[in-house]
Amino acid sequence: MRLLVLLSAAVIAGCSAPASEPAPGSVQTLPSRCEGLPSFAEATSRLDAKLAERARGATFAEPAAAYASEAPLALGYALAGAGDPNDDRLKVPRILRSKEEVQADSTIAWMLDALTVDWASEAVAVVEEHPSDTRYRYAVDSETFRVVSARAHACLAESDEAVQEAALAATRPRLFRVPRTVTRAAAEAVATEAYRPALPRASGACTRAEGTVFAGGGNASVVRHDGGVRLYVNGFSAMTGNVFHVDSTDDGATFAPNGWDANNLSSFEGRGPYADVYGPFVERTDAGFRMSGVALDFSTREARIVEMRSPDGKAWTKGERLVADDGDVSGVSRITVDGEDRLFFVRDGAVRLARRRGEAAFVLDPEPVLVPPPVTSDAFDALGYVDTSIVRAGDRFVLVVTAATGGYDRRLPLRTSIGYATSPDGVRFERKGDPILVTERDDELRGVGSPAVLPSAGGSAFTLFYTAINGAAEPRVARATCALE
């Protein structure tokens, strides 16, 4: 699941301008020795050129997207999730010549569902990859399946060098369908290029407020209620997936209680307070309140976009599934435009839109409304989006998103930031060039994200509630005032 439970699954460290080696545990900067190195995009371009030179005269090709059934050279393949870096069986390439050999290996057996293999004329090649920081080419050369690689290496502070080395070194096995005449596999590393990691910089549009809005949780949603503001938030640790509600009488500057309290724990029909609902997005309706979010079924490991209703915003219905083919989703938000119900969510790093009128079923738009730039770019959202918050601000629609970058190198901490895109019609969005909030403080060491927005009356500014996670993976809700371009 893509960073669904807050952002605490990520190892996040913010950066600013290049400087000397920082103290361990602080918001990190790049050491001076990184100056003058190429960007990640420039480094990967050089690596591609070296791979092309090595592949001259051979028929090398790079596969298409994960889980596709066909790749160039008619090499079918399947791509699994993160592998176990301690599993010696993945130290490959290797050739498996029967279905039974594949099925005997539990780490890859389930991947056969993505391939159609004619075992009379074909075999399967297994490759261990580090796909985020290494470029690969693959070819069948007579009796040999060849893997040629080149790696981009991030320039980091010494205190970043060992950041969760074991976890970030995890690889992914890939299966290729190869001719049965192939009897051996070989791997060759061609080159390594050092690069200067991208450091997301804030546009200056937001000013942080002092203090903490809510301690002990994150994934906030805010809604105006009874002359004040009500905050909905997920707990964490033992309270992950439960939804608290707290009220403010000073327009969201302070909330009471400022932390877990059983009296402020929302209940859900048939489930009590143990909701397993993540990223609640709450709106006021004529009948009371409407909550949209992602419900996680741990028995099936399925994430579903659901809707709950409540007359008082405290006791909710069980939940109705909204999108039949929602898949691996996160970051749900919602708005009604001229009688049309619009549901925004993140899947595969892009922001998608589903729409309906009345009681009809939601229909997914064929194209995403916001797509991240290529992963080889140095943009703050190069690794895609995590969650969304949609609001109307004056004559514009504003889609505020958590974005991710970094993580290309196995040792490089993932970094998050908050940015936004605008639209005149709520369908076609244009992303702004710089994030409005990046990690800048020690109590945000593992990231900022999960935006919730209250627009100003004039539409030129908004109050941003966001989740900040400290170095101990403890989330809190903080607040900033932001101006729209």
Side-chain angles (χ1 to χ4, degrees):
M1 187 168 297
R2 197 182 183 96
L3 298 181
L4 182 60
V5 183
L6 301 176
L7 299 171
S8 56
V11 182
I12 302 168
C15 290
S16 53
S20 59
E21 297 285 351
S26 66
V27 174
Q28 308 233 330
T29 58
L30 292 181
S32 57
R33 58 185 167 81
C34 300
E35 296 182 44
L37 289 177
S39 67
F40 181 69
E42 293 167 337
T44 53
S45 177
R46 294 181 185 182
L47 293 178
D48 286 343
K50 291 179 179 180
L51 285 171
E53 181 180 350
R54 171 62 184 82
R56 188 173 293 120
T59 312
F60 279 74
E62 187 165 6
Y67 293 106
S69 60
E70 295 295 327
L73 300 183
L75 298 174
Y77 72 95
L79 179 63
D84 181 353
N86 300 314
D87 190 339
D88 288 338
R89 290 174 300 176
L90 300 182
K91 309 306 180 189
V92 286
R94 57 193 169 119
I95 306 296
L96 301 180
R97 306 186 65 78
S98 71
K99 184 176 182 179
E100 289 71 25
E101 283 187 88
V102 178
Q103 291 177 331
D105 189 337
S106 60
T107 61
I108 60 173
W110 62 276
M111 298 168 60
L112 266 184
D113 292 341
L115 292 178
T116 300
V117 181
D118 180 358
W119 293 103
S121 61
E122 296 175 323
V124 166
V126 185
V127 180
E128 180 192 26
E129 293 187 346
H130 295 285
S132 61
D133 66 346
T134 306
R135 318 287 284 175
Y136 292 91
R137 295 295 184 271
Y138 316 85
V140 172
D141 177 15
S142 183
E143 298 176 350
T144 304
F145 175 76
R146 300 187 182 279
V147 180
V148 181
S149 64
R151 183 184 175 198
H153 181 88
C155 179
L156 299 173
E158 290 181 1
S159 52
D160 263 346
E161 288 283 345
V163 172
Q164 288 204 351
E165 180 69 28
L168 293 177
T171 61
R172 295 190 290 186
R174 193 188 291 267
L175 304 188
F176 287 84
R177 191 177 69 245
V178 299
R180 197 164 182 82
T181 54
V182 171
T183 58
R184 62 184 295 267
E188 176 188 359
V190 174
T192 298
E193 282 278 348
Y195 70 93
R196 182 187 67 256
L199 305 177
R201 299 176 184 275
S203 65
C206 295
T207 302
R208 287 171 168 80
E210 293 297 324
T212 294
V213 168
F214 185 87
N219 283 349
S221 178
V222 287
V223 61
R224 297 198 180 277
H225 174 59
D226 288 346
V229 174
R230 178 171 289 176
L231 173 79
Y232 291 87
V233 63
N234 281 138
F236 82 109
S237 185
M239 289 294 181
T240 297
N242 294 337
V243 181
F244 292 87
H245 55 266
V246 291
D247 290 315
S248 168
T249 58
D250 55 8
D251 207 36
T254 58
F255 290 84
N258 190 341
W260 295 355
D261 188 315
N263 295 319
N264 293 77
L265 187 56
S266 297
S267 64
F268 294 81
E269 181 184 340
R271 290 177 290 171
Y274 304 106
D276 289 329
V277 171
Y278 299 90
F281 182 84
V282 180
E283 309 158 86
R284 289 299 307 269
T285 67
D286 293 339
F289 296 79
R290 181 172 72 176
M291 178 189 296
S292 308
V294 176
L296 184 60
D297 185 336
F298 281 97
S299 63
T300 63
R301 302 184 69 180
E302 183 181 33
R304 307 180 306 275
I305 300 176
V306 296
E307 171 192 302
M308 289 73 65
R309 293 182 177 269
S310 171
D312 60 2
K314 300 177 181 180
W316 299 87
T317 57
K318 184 177 181 180
E320 171 194 357
R321 188 170 185 174
L322 296 180
V323 180
D325 185 23
D326 40 14
D328 190 6
V329 298
S330 64
V332 175
S333 61
R334 199 165 169 180
I335 197 169
T336 301
V337 181
D338 297 330
E340 183 176 73
D341 196 357
R342 299 183 182 179
L343 185 70
F344 295 83
F345 59 92
V346 175
R347 185 168 67 191
D348 296 327
V351 181
R352 307 300 302 260
L353 169 63
R355 300 191 262 181
R356 74 174 180 186
R357 287 191 176 273
E359 299 302 317
F362 274 98
V363 176
L364 183 67
D365 276 20
E367 298 297 329
V369 299
L370 192 63
V371 178
V375 70
T376 53
S377 78
D378 296 306
F380 73 95
D381 49 356
L383 289 188
Y385 306 111
V386 180
D387 47 40
T388 70
S389 185
I390 183 71
V391 294
R392 192 195 301 261
D395 59 355
R396 293 181 291 177
F397 294 89
V398 180
L399 185 67
V400 187
V401 294
T402 304
T405 190
Y408 307 111
D409 190 297
R410 294 188 293 274
R411 304 157 303 120
L412 180 63
L414 182 69
R415 292 172 171 87
T416 59
S417 53
I418 297 174
Y420 74 92
T422 60
S423 169
D425 58 7
V427 176
R428 297 178 297 274
F429 284 84
E430 180 181 354
R431 160 190 165 281
K432 298 303 175 182
D434 291 311
I436 55 176
L437 207 71
V438 300
T439 299
E440 294 178 352
R441 303 165 22 150
D442 285 355
D443 57 5
E444 301 169 348
L445 188 62
R446 292 200 178 189
V448 296
S450 301
V453 178
L454 285 178
S456 66
S460 61
F462 58 87
T463 302
L464 173 68
F465 297 82
Y466 65 96
T467 299
I469 301 177
N470 64 19
E474 298 166 337
R476 66 183 179 92
V477 180
R479 185 173 179 264
T481 301
C482 306
L484 289 168
E485 293 181 12

